[in-house]
Amino acid sequence: MTDEKLVKSRQRVADHGEVFTPRWLVDDMLDLVKGETERIDSRFLEPACGSGNFLVPILERKLAVVQGRYGKNEFERRHYALFALMCIYGIELLRDNADECRENLQGTFTRVLKLSTDDLLIAAARTVLRANVVQGDALAMTDATDEPIVFPEWGYLGRGKYQRRDFRFDALTQRSAASGTLFDAFEEHEIFTPVRTYPAMTVSDLAEEGPE
């Protein structure tokens, strides 16, 4: 077993309580919700995501399911892999950690799918991660500019098209309290409305004109 660096500096521990969780403990904790980690469309939010100690293993598990289910269909494998990434969210107080988390998730995505450096799927993944991993304060529910945190709800429509609706994080937490999980749908009407809805998007759209 290789040694893991669980702290970056004593000062960061003192200032922010920053200590990273070792991989063996992450795996044990994720095994407690194994069924959810192996659902492509299950959504995970880590409110203090650091450099991705939890989110990267979750992505690895999801991508393994994608490979097992769609490995013989390259079109579906690629699109469901991106959808798996779309279902992973993080909030991180420190900018360098947030940047590392995005890089680690993108690196895992690229490595597992064996993508070439010029593949549009990498650029699409970068757009997704820019939206899904936010530098901010999870307790205050604000981003680095003190604006309310907004997260995208992604859906895969099939045939290479994705749907995106943006919701304020504080509204989603209210929905969670009312119905059980983030992004749960209500049968009769929508209590919380999106702050923005986008037209259906393809990988090319995300790669070339990714939403800000």
Side-chain angles (χ1 to χ4, degrees), residues 29-196:
M29 294 172 70
L30 293 180
D31 283 343
L32 296 175
V33 288
K34 189 173 186 293
E36 290 299 309
T37 65
E38 294 176 352
R39 276 182 47 210
I40 297 170
D41 63 346
S42 63
R43 293 182 171 92
F44 283 83
L45 167 63
E46 171 56 65
C49 65
S51 56
N53 287 33
F54 278 90
L55 298 183
V56 167
I58 290 169
L59 178 60
E60 290 174 345
R61 292 180 181 216
K62 285 176 172 286
L63 293 179
V65 174
V66 170
Q67 178 62 34
R69 191 171 299 171
Y70 301 105
K72 295 181 180 179
N73 185 324
E74 183 66 7
F75 181 87
E76 295 286 36
R77 185 180 76 94
R78 287 167 59 88
H79 284 87
Y80 274 102
L82 185 60
F83 182 48
L85 182 67
M86 288 172 167
C87 293
I88 291 176
Y89 300 85
I91 303 172
E92 170 54 39
L93 186 63
L94 303 179
R95 179 175 179 176
D96 62 337
N97 283 344
D99 289 341
E100 284 182 27
C101 183
R102 296 187 196 100
E103 290 172 6
N104 289 337
L105 286 167
Q106 182 179 315
T108 299
F109 185 80
T110 300
R111 172 180 57 79
V112 173
L113 270 69
K114 300 179 180 179
L115 302 176
S116 60
T117 56
D118 60 347
D119 196 309
L120 286 180
L121 204 59
I122 296 177
R126 189 177 300 118
T127 295
V128 170
L129 290 170
R130 192 165 58 240
N132 281 28
V133 178
V134 175
Q135 182 196 355
D137 186 330
L139 293 178
M141 301 187 191
T142 55
D143 63 20
T145 64
D146 290 326
E147 292 296 317
I149 291 175
V150 173
F151 278 127
E153 176 196 39
W154 301 97
Y156 183 44
L157 304 175
R159 298 185 179 181
K161 292 191 176 182
Y162 300 94
Q163 176 187 54
R164 173 178 175 175
R165 299 188 303 166
D166 289 354
F167 291 87
R168 280 178 51 154
F169 179 46
D170 53 4
L172 292 174
T173 59
Q174 295 175 45
R175 172 179 292 185
S176 178
S179 59
T181 61
L182 296 181
F183 302 121
D184 266 357
F186 288 83
E187 292 182 4
E188 296 182 0
H189 61 281
E190 201 66 48
I191 297 177
F192 301 104
T193 57
V195 296
R196 184 174 179 183

Side-chain angles (χ1 to χ4, degrees), residues 6-7 9-20 48 93-94 97:
L6 301 182
V7 299
S9 72
R10 292 183 179 179
Q11 191 62 48
R12 288 168 71 106
V13 174
D15 291 345
H16 306 290
E18 179 188 73
V19 179
F20 299 103
L93 186 63
L94 303 179
N97 283 344

